[in-house]
Structures are given as structure tokens and as C-alpha cells.
Amino acid sequence: MPNLSSKELSALEDQLGFEGMLCCKYQDAAQATQETELKNTYNQYAAQHKRNYDTLLGFLR
């Protein structure tokens, strides 16, 4: 892994926080709705943000 600058690490930290928050918000929204189509959409968004989070976390390993 290439060495990351403190600015890059800070940006990754910020983005990890955003992706984690969005994943949780979409999961909460999916649980709060009874509409199947909307629930599926929210779950898809949550899964995408989880993948984004995991990808970003991979840069720190």
C-alpha cells in the first residue's frame, strides 16, 4: 500500500463516516417502511454504501 498523506487519511476517515452513516440510515428506512418496492430500494442503497465503506476500509489495510 502506498503511503497516504495526512490529508488523504483525513478524507478517507470523513468518507468512511459518511458511508457508514448512509448505510445505517437506509437500513433504518427499510425497516420503517411497509412498502415492498421501497424496502427493496432502501436495502439496495444500504448494500451499496456498505460496499463503498468496505472498499474505502481496504485502502487503510
Side-chain angles (χ1 to χ4, degrees):
M1 174 180 109
N3 291 334
L4 299 174
S5 69
S6 61
K7 186 173 182 177
E8 291 167 326
L9 286 172
S10 179
L12 275 174
E13 181 181 20
D14 289 345
Q15 195 62 38
L16 278 169
F18 294 139
E19 295 296 343
M21 178 191 61
L22 287 169
C23 181
C24 289
K25 293 227 179 240
Y26 280 120
Q27 287 173 337
D28 291 346
Q31 290 177 356
T33 189
Q34 297 300 315
E35 294 183 43
T36 303
E37 188 174 330
L38 198 51
K39 186 181 288 282
N40 290 339
T41 299
Y42 287 150
N43 282 325
Q44 287 174 355
Y45 290 159
Q48 180 61 53
H49 286 290
K50 176 69 168 105
R51 286 190 297 273
N52 294 347
Y53 181 92
D54 290 342
T55 298
L56 290 169
L57 193 58
F59 288 116
L60 300 175
R61 293 187 178 150

